[in-house]
Amino acid sequence: MSLELIPAARPIIGDDERAAVDRVLRSGMVAQGPEVAAFEKEFGEHFVDGRECVAVNSGTAGQHLGQLAGGIGPGDEVIVPSFTFAATANSVALTGATPVFVDIEPDYFSIDPTAVETAITPRTRAIMPVHLYGHPALMSELVAIAQKHDLMIFEDAAQAHGASLGGRQVGTFGTFGMFSLYPTKNMTSGEGGMVACDSAELVRATKLLRNQGMERQYENEVIGFNARMTDIHAAIGRVQLTKVDGWTATRQSNATFFNQNLSGVVTPPVADDAVHVYHQYTIRVEADRDGFAAALRNEFAVASGIYYPIPNHRLPSLTRFAPDLELPQTEKAAQEVLSLPVHPSLSRADLERIVSAVNTLAQAGS
Ligand SMILES: *Cc1c(COP(=O)(O)O)cnc(C)c1O
């Protein structure tokens, strides 16, 4: 008897989401409208302490527009981690500014504040920390550096809906915080993104850029995009918003089970005052990570993910921004990280199978 594969992620989309989409379709008004407005308000109240949010058609569009709205452009530098999804640096490069890659700290895989401070030049305008895997970046240190050097902070909270530090939700530390609503993220709208803004001016500028530069129809004030979210997508997102806390709690209890039962691998630590929402549960496998992942799949039918195998500064698309850069913690993480399934659809039997597979392989390898 062959085991059924445990997938690395499994978006949950149910009858409630289908009914919400059907309601919008039947209304005959499907483009950006009242569902989007309601989703923005509910998302802001839920995740960013009431900060005003602007819904767009992807997380990447959100971080791109947010930066343009913040005045980022050619000649500017934005400090980013290299150990993240390429969208982080892409969104900087698309404004015409230069992404400046720095190393991560090894505990939470987030941008290293000491490295940030070293990378600051007269052209630096902002720091873009990533709350990678759902664990908050070291915001106290980064906020202090930003204040000292008069820099903005743009938070990449694509993976961190509901994460917090010292009781403060991610997305509320910076000039803006971007959340992704891609299907494998902790909640989805199909595709989509939210930009949580710290000022009314930023909200207005982001909204203008989202809609061809128009606040009033055909009175275009600036050159803008069409990055609007549809009411169909917003309706899905609004339903997911009522469920995401339960899913997060399940992710957290799955992670606790792993923390208590895994052995022979490095499990992910959580900072004292942090809430980790486990978009990923990422272990380090210090020898032959790729062989380990293959054996997990082939021998135990457990899928896993490598986020991310190639640091951004080594990607063909981005290497021109840092041709000779050496980032030792980034390179090491890219070699060692392995994300185990932690999503809320896992059964108790799945969790036990994952633990026994990892422990067996870790023991065999040691
Ligand atoms: C998913 C993701 C993005 C981009 O979001 P999209 O909605 O896919 O455009 C950006 N940064 C990080 C870290 C991500 O995981």
Side-chain angles (χ1 to χ4, degrees):
M1 194 193 79
S2 71
L3 291 166
E4 201 181 322
L5 184 76
I6 301 174
R10 180 181 282 160
I12 303 174
I13 297 169
D15 289 341
D16 297 346
E17 284 85 344
R18 275 188 284 277
V21 168
D22 197 52
R23 176 166 43 77
V24 174
L25 291 177
R26 282 174 199 281
S27 79
M29 306 212 308
V30 296
Q32 182 187 302
E35 291 286 335
V36 170
F39 187 29
E40 289 173 335
K41 190 158 184 300
E42 290 159 3
F43 192 97
E45 284 165 1
H46 199 89
F47 280 133
V48 284
D49 199 23
R51 276 201 183 191
E52 209 173 326
C53 289
V54 180
V56 289
N57 55 7
S58 75
T60 311
Q63 52 193 163
H64 182 205
L65 269 51
Q67 287 176 86
L68 292 173
I72 299 297
D76 296 334
E77 292 176 358
V78 177
I79 299 175
V80 296
S82 172
F83 190 65
T84 172
F85 184 49
T88 311
N90 283 351
S91 71
V92 175
L94 286 168
T95 69
T98 301
V100 174
F101 294 109
V102 302
D103 214 350
I104 51 168
E105 44 76 25
D107 292 332
Y108 316 114
F109 304 98
S110 70
I111 197 166
D112 177 352
T114 312
V116 167
E117 199 148 30
T118 310
I120 293 172
T121 76
R123 289 176 182 275
T124 308
R125 297 281 312 282
I127 309 165
M128 186 155 10
V130 180
H131 306 298
L132 199 71
Y133 306 144
H135 189 289
L138 303 180
M139 295 314 293
S140 317
E141 293 83 344
L142 294 169
V143 167
I145 292 168
Q147 280 170 353
K148 180 169 152 202
H149 296 274
D150 194 21
L151 305 174
M152 290 180 280
I153 289 182
F154 306 141
E155 295 177 70
D156 182 332
Q159 305 183 353
H161 314 66
S164 65
L165 195 65
R168 188 166 166 186
Q169 289 172 301
V170 303
T172 65
F173 291 88
T175 298
F176 73 79
M178 174 282 285
F179 296 83
S180 168
L181 298 164
Y182 184 74
T184 58
K185 300 290 159 74
N186 287 22
M187 64 171 281
T188 186
S189 60
E191 288 264 13
M194 278 284 178
V195 191
C197 301
D198 81 338
S199 73
E201 295 74 49
L202 196 76
V203 169
R204 184 175 133 77
T206 307
K207 285 184 171 176
L208 280 175
L209 289 165
R210 168 176 73 176
N211 188 28
Q212 312 283 7
M214 297 187 288
E215 187 169 274
R216 282 189 303 274
Q217 201 154 32
Y218 309 132
E219 294 181 24
N220 309 59
E221 299 171 43
V222 298
I223 295 173
F225 300 81
N226 174 358
R228 299 182 301 261
M229 179 182 280
T230 73
D231 265 17
I232 303 170
H233 293 89
I236 299 171
R238 290 182 71 195
V239 173
Q240 296 253 315
L241 198 53
T242 66
K243 302 183 178 176
V244 64
D245 290 348
W247 293 332
T248 299
T250 305
R251 287 175 182 275
Q252 289 163 336
S253 66
N254 292 347
T256 301
F257 184 82
F258 290 150
N259 289 339
Q260 289 169 348
N261 292 288
L262 291 178
S263 57
V265 293
V266 181
T267 57
V270 181
D272 280 344
D273 53 349
V275 172
H276 192 334
V277 295
Y278 294 101
H279 172 60
Q280 301 295 347
Y281 183 92
T282 303
I283 61 172
R284 285 181 187 262
V285 180
E286 282 163 341
D288 188 21
R289 182 266 325 269
D290 293 346
F292 195 100
L296 265 185
R297 173 178 279 269
N298 299 335
E299 294 170 31
F300 299 93
V302 173
S304 57
I306 297 168
Y307 314 106
Y308 297 88
I310 307 175
N312 284 188
H313 72 288
R314 301 236 185 255
L315 291 171
S317 54
L318 291 166
T319 191
R320 68 194 153 102
F321 294 110
D324 302 314
L325 198 59
E326 298 287 335
L327 300 175
Q329 290 296 345
T330 296
E331 311 277 356
K332 184 168 154 58
Q335 296 278 317
E336 294 181 351
V337 293
L338 189 69
S339 298
L340 303 175
V342 71
H343 54 80
S345 304
L346 298 170
S347 67
R348 177 75 188 201
D350 292 337
L351 292 170
E352 285 169 359
R353 171 135 66 95
I354 295 164
V355 164
S356 107
V358 170
N359 290 353
T360 305
L361 290 172
Q363 207 171 14
S366 66

